[in-house]
Amino acid sequence: MKKLKEETEDQKWFDDQLQETLNRFDAIHAPHVPELQRFEDMVDAHKQQMKRKLWKDLLIFWLLACLIFGMMMWMLDRNLVWFAVLQVVIAVGGIGFVGITFGRRKVRTWKS
């Protein structure tokens, strides 16, 4: 009971001495919150930028795919042995790349 009385006295002293000053401090230093429209515009601009970037990446992917496919068809038409050698080299490289990537990911999961 004595502790509760001391707490209420302390609170009363705090309210009398510092509450008004703290309220003024809070009012002066309150952070400025931008308008909702500004955030919505920022999100829309980011969406448009990402959409353009994705379309550009897709176009580059298709152009490279067509180029590689054309070169492979040209190689197949010119020399069947070199085509097979190139296919084997590409397959081994892909398997090696996947193996190294998977190995690094496994090491990372064990560390953490």
Side-chain angles (χ1 to χ4, degrees):
M1 186 71 171
K2 185 177 178 183
K3 188 176 184 178
L4 181 63
K5 186 177 179 184
E6 289 175 5
E7 287 179 4
T8 56
E9 289 176 7
D10 289 341
Q11 184 65 42
K12 186 177 183 312
W13 178 86
F14 180 81
D15 290 342
D16 292 342
Q17 300 295 323
L18 298 174
Q19 190 65 39
E20 184 180 332
T21 307
L22 283 175
N23 287 340
R24 278 188 287 133
F25 181 81
D26 286 343
I28 291 171
H29 294 89
H32 173 69
V33 178
E35 300 167 2
L36 179 63
Q37 184 64 34
R38 188 169 169 205
F39 284 120
E40 288 176 349
D41 292 342
M42 222 166 48
V43 168
D44 287 339
H46 182 70
K47 281 182 181 178
Q48 291 296 328
Q49 182 183 10
M50 289 303 295
K51 189 182 278 189
R52 273 186 259 118
K53 183 181 181 290
L54 288 173
W55 276 108
K56 182 179 120 183
D57 289 347
L58 183 64
L59 177 67
I60 291 171
F61 171 77
W62 276 103
L63 288 174
L64 285 174
C66 290
L67 179 70
I68 290 170
F69 183 73
M71 289 177 65
M72 294 305 287
M73 290 296 107
W74 178 77
M75 181 71 76
L76 180 63
D77 185 45
R78 293 291 175 196
N79 192 342
L80 185 60
V81 173
W82 280 109
F83 176 77
V85 168
L86 187 60
Q87 289 294 316
V88 169
V89 168
I90 290 172
V92 168
I95 292 170
F97 177 77
V98 169
I100 290 171
T101 304
F102 181 74
R104 285 184 184 166
R105 189 173 66 195
K106 263 306 198 196
V107 169
R108 262 188 259 136
T109 56
W110 278 104
K111 285 183 180 177
S112 56

